[in-house]
Amino acid sequence: MNVWRPGNQIRLLENGEAYYPRVYAAIRAAQREVLIETFILFDDKVGRTLRDELIAAASRGVTVHVTIDGYGSPDLSDEFLAGMIGAGVRLHVFDPQPRLLGLRTNLFRRMHRKIVVIDGAVAFVGGINFSLDHLQEYGPEAKQDYAVEIVGPVVGDIQRFAASTVGAPPAPHRWWRWPGRRHLATAPPDTDDALVLFAVRDNQDHRTDIEDHYLAALRRARRSALIANAYFFPGYRLLRELRNAARRGVDVRLVLQGEPDMPWVQFFGRMLYDYLLREGVRIYEYCERPLHGKVAVIDDDWATVGSSNLDPLSLALNLEANVIVRDRAFAGRLRERLESLIARHCKLIGAERAARRNPWRLTLGFLAYHFARRFPAWVGWLPAHTPKLEHLLPREDRADLREADRSHEPKGAHGL
């Protein structure tokens, strides 16, 4: 992690229509190992298709590890899980907690990553969960989101990380000789020589890594910064760098939710609008359906795609994963897709918002700004429990996993 790897092929995948077929094809081509981490796995059309692909892979001898979050995937039935466990799929639940009066109690320190690694040869990283609401057939509430497919040296970093979280030895990393590549070679990647870094946010040694990459890129920005983020309520440092970039003439644009899946998110995000608009930041709200993306393009050759929102949960509590890409072709491709989103489905907030300022809104904005400034310090006051992985395994494998747990405590599973 946090090592720049040259020579990667990378492909932008927009929404479930592009993402799921590529993931399923890679699983079908797997020969040794499938590693999956996902915040949400639902028992719906998408989840059942993934389950069937994993059962088929495990049945032909592939080692399959699937990690889900106890908050994000709380209601999977025994019937849904039994087929996978029976076929030998190793299922892990991050921080399962009992409900209290019918409410989930494990909101904080969630495993929010979305990672798939096949045979150490191809990896997928982004914001797309395994649920039907990432497909347009879901209807007006279908999410707009992004992920990347990567082949190249950085896949080794992603594979080692994903294997370490479940205490598994990674399969040999031979991406250049992987026979399954022919199953995915249906279209050229967006670029085949990208410099890529895999970054995570955890509660140990990488608490601010993803945010730090955003900050460094904004400080270097000279022409433009285009950020699309679903849940926007960043800390003081990031707000300051957005303001500073706009002040020195950088074209700073934010694409935020206009049709939110959780209205309170939009309410809090809008508290910061006045502060940003005063400094020349342009804000667009995406109004076709809920925005779930977590992507950015800065200048002509820096981009990021991943699971990390720019809000207190992602920046200070959740376990997250992004890839940082230094490549003009890929940055251009992502910028093109975001520009299309702005042109077709977004409304500009700036002018009318500034004209309607009133003391109440300014007061809320002031309070929100200072909350954002001090939130990272307040996080340390929250109860510091240590989340664990619960292993849902066939009986014959449980003894082996108990022994592995003694020597491989899951990385990123620690409280602050």
Side-chain angles (χ1 to χ4, degrees), residues 9-23 37-38 112-117 122-130 134 143-151 158 189-191 196 228 291-296 303-308 321-325 330-331 333-335 337-338:
Q9 296 180 1
I10 188 164
R11 181 194 310 270
L12 180 67
L13 302 173
E14 187 170 352
N15 297 321
E17 283 80 6
Y19 179 72
Y20 298 135
R22 303 293 294 183
V23 171
E37 295 185 357
T38 183
H112 196 243
R113 299 185 292 253
K114 292 89 175 174
I115 298 172
V116 178
V117 192
V122 59
F124 301 83
V125 178
I128 301 177
N129 292 294
F130 287 98
H134 285 276
K143 293 177 170 61
Q144 174 69 28
D145 210 342
Y146 304 88
V148 291
E149 174 189 327
I150 311 168
V151 173
I158 303 170
D190 293 308
T191 182
V196 182
L291 176 68
H292 197 253
K294 309 96 169 52
V295 300
T304 186
V305 179
S307 67
S308 181
N322 276 41
V323 290
I324 317 296
V325 182
F330 180 77
R333 173 63 173 160
L334 179 55
R335 182 184 298 278
R337 298 309 305 153
L338 295 178

Side-chain angles (χ1 to χ4, degrees), residues 269-287:
R270 283 178 169 175
M271 289 183 182
L272 302 176
Y273 281 14
D274 288 320
Y275 172 79
L276 294 168
L277 292 169
R278 287 198 306 269
E279 307 300 338
V281 175
R282 288 190 285 167
I283 300 174
Y284 296 85
E285 288 186 346
Y286 173 68
C287 297

Side-chain angles (χ1 to χ4, degrees), residues 20-21 34 60 100 109 114 118 129 138 170 173 182 209 236 287 294 303 311 322 363 377 400 402 411:
Y20 298 135
V34 174
R60 64 176 185 269
L100 181 63
R109 300 185 178 91
K114 292 89 175 174
I118 310 297
N129 292 294
Y138 187 74
H173 173 53
R182 66 180 181 272
D209 286 15
Y236 168 70
C287 297
K294 309 96 169 52
D311 71 346
N322 276 41
T363 300
D400 293 341
R402 282 195 294 270
K411 287 188 177 181

Side-chain angles (χ1 to χ4, degrees), residues 378-396:
W378 294 344
V379 167
W381 301 350
L382 293 175
H385 76 294
T386 302
K388 297 291 185 181
L389 287 182
E390 177 181 310
H391 308 288
L392 308 178
L393 302 174
R395 186 183 304 274
E396 59 270 21

Side-chain angles (χ1 to χ4, degrees), residues 26 29-31 118-119 121-122 174-181 184:
Q31 297 183 332
I118 310 297
D119 288 349
V122 59
R174 300 190 185 98
W175 58 269
W176 60 93
R177 290 168 46 191
W178 185 51
R181 290 181 70 182
L184 298 177

Side-chain angles (χ1 to χ4, degrees), residues 62-67 84 88-92 392-394 397 401:
V62 176
T63 298
V64 180
H65 286 274
V66 178
T67 303
M84 288 192 286
V89 175
R90 292 155 169 84
L91 285 165
H92 316 278
L392 308 178
L393 302 174
D397 291 334
L401 257 293

Side-chain angles (χ1 to χ4, degrees), residues 118-344:
I118 310 297
D119 288 349
V122 59
F124 301 83
V125 178
I128 301 177
N129 292 294
F130 287 98
S131 54
L132 185 61
D133 58 1
H134 285 276
L135 293 173
Q136 290 191 30
E137 66 184 74
Y138 187 74
E141 296 301 310
K143 293 177 170 61
Q144 174 69 28
D145 210 342
Y146 304 88
V148 291
E149 174 189 327
I150 311 168
V151 173
V154 78
V155 174
D157 296 334
I158 303 170
Q159 176 204 29
R160 285 186 291 273
F161 173 80
S164 72
T165 64
V166 293
H173 173 53
R174 300 190 185 98
W175 58 269
W176 60 93
R177 290 168 46 191
W178 185 51
R181 290 181 70 182
R182 66 180 181 272
H183 295 277
L184 298 177
T186 57
D190 293 308
T191 182
D192 61 2
D193 191 26
L195 187 64
V196 182
L197 177 147
F198 177 62
V200 302
R201 201 222 76 84
D202 62 24
N203 296 315
Q204 297 171 274
D205 302 322
H206 305 280
R207 299 187 182 196
T208 64
D209 286 15
I210 294 174
E211 184 180 13
D212 288 344
H213 283 290
Y214 269 98
L215 295 172
L218 285 168
R219 291 182 191 122
R220 290 193 304 266
R222 292 296 175 264
R223 291 174 297 279
S224 64
L226 177 53
I227 298 172
N229 206 269
Y231 305 114
F232 182 82
F233 195 80
Y236 168 70
R237 296 195 304 163
L238 208 150
L239 284 173
R240 181 185 60 197
E241 294 306 330
L242 289 168
R243 176 200 66 186
N244 290 346
R247 281 180 172 178
R248 65 176 183 268
V250 176
D251 177 19
V252 180
R253 290 180 290 170
L254 302 177
V255 180
L256 308 177
Q257 292 210 51
E259 294 291 332
D261 52 352
M262 292 182 284
W264 63 268
V265 172
Q266 186 184 59
F267 174 79
F268 281 105
R270 283 178 169 175
M271 289 183 182
L272 302 176
Y273 281 14
D274 288 320
Y275 172 79
L276 294 168
L277 292 169
R278 287 198 306 269
E279 307 300 338
V281 175
R282 288 190 285 167
I283 300 174
Y284 296 85
E285 288 186 346
Y286 173 68
C287 297
E288 184 183 30
R289 47 202 178 97
L291 176 68
H292 197 253
K294 309 96 169 52
V295 300
V297 184
I298 297 178
D299 285 343
D300 298 326
D301 66 346
W302 187 98
T304 186
V305 179
S307 67
S308 181
N309 293 296
L310 299 179
D311 71 346
L313 286 177
S314 282
L315 295 177
L317 290 171
N318 287 347
L319 309 183
E320 306 284 1
N322 276 41
V323 290
I324 317 296
V325 182
R326 298 298 301 269
D327 183 85
R328 295 178 70 90
F330 180 77
R333 173 63 173 160
L334 179 55
R335 182 184 298 278
E336 171 194 327
R337 298 309 305 153
L338 295 178
E339 296 276 9
S340 175
L341 210 67
I342 290 172
R344 293 184 293 117

